[in-house]
Amino acid sequence: MASIRQHKIESAIRMELSNYFLRNSAEFSRGSMVTLTVVRVTPDLSLARCYVSIFGKADKTEVLNSIKSQQSKIRGEIGKRLKNMRKIPDLSFYIDDSIDYAETIDKLLKK
């Protein structure tokens, strides 16, 4: 179970990453819309797993690879925005496929 401190750090990182994706989407989105769905921080606060949903015509893995290639730049920008944190966790990005999974289940139930 996550601690209160983890929840606060997750929400702060989620808010700043969402703002970053909103401002700088042209750099990595390749014409698709990228939204941050969930951020999970490990108990030792060293790693933040960030799940993104990618909507649009571009290939999801291509957009995810573009985000991963700019991972250190994104972490640096988040670090500048969150000055009250001593150490910013390493960011790792994953595709959130829960919406696709829900659509598949919905189609199966309608049959």
Side-chain angles (χ1 to χ4, degrees):
M1 182 153 187
S3 68
I4 295 172
R5 183 175 183 197
Q6 280 178 278
H7 285 298
K8 287 181 180 181
I9 291 173
E10 288 171 356
S11 64
I13 291 173
R14 182 175 44 242
M15 185 176 63
E16 291 303 326
L17 273 175
S18 296
N19 290 334
Y20 179 82
F21 285 158
L22 183 65
R23 288 188 311 264
N24 303 320
S25 65
E27 295 177 14
F28 52 81
S29 67
R30 304 188 192 279
S32 61
M33 184 177 79
V34 178
T35 59
L36 188 70
T37 54
V38 178
V39 174
R40 296 284 180 238
V41 177
T42 57
D44 63 351
L45 306 177
S46 65
L47 177 67
R49 292 183 183 95
C50 308
Y51 294 90
V52 295
S53 291
I54 301 168
F55 304 101
K57 298 176 185 176
D59 185 29
K60 291 182 180 184
T61 56
E62 184 179 319
V63 174
L64 183 65
N65 289 336
S66 176
I67 293 171
K68 285 182 177 181
S69 69
Q70 297 183 12
Q71 195 166 341
S72 61
K73 179 183 175 186
I74 294 171
R75 182 175 180 242
E77 290 293 322
I78 298 304
K80 289 178 188 175
R81 305 285 294 176
L82 296 174
K83 293 181 181 178
N84 58 346
M85 290 181 61
R86 267 187 286 163
K87 183 176 182 274
I88 302 298
D90 290 329
L91 303 175
S92 60
F93 293 95
Y94 302 97
I95 293 178
D96 184 14
D97 58 352
S98 60
I99 295 173
D100 297 334
Y101 182 72
E103 287 177 0
T104 305
I105 297 295
D106 192 38
K107 287 178 185 176
L108 290 173
L109 289 174
K110 286 183 179 179
K111 284 186 179 181

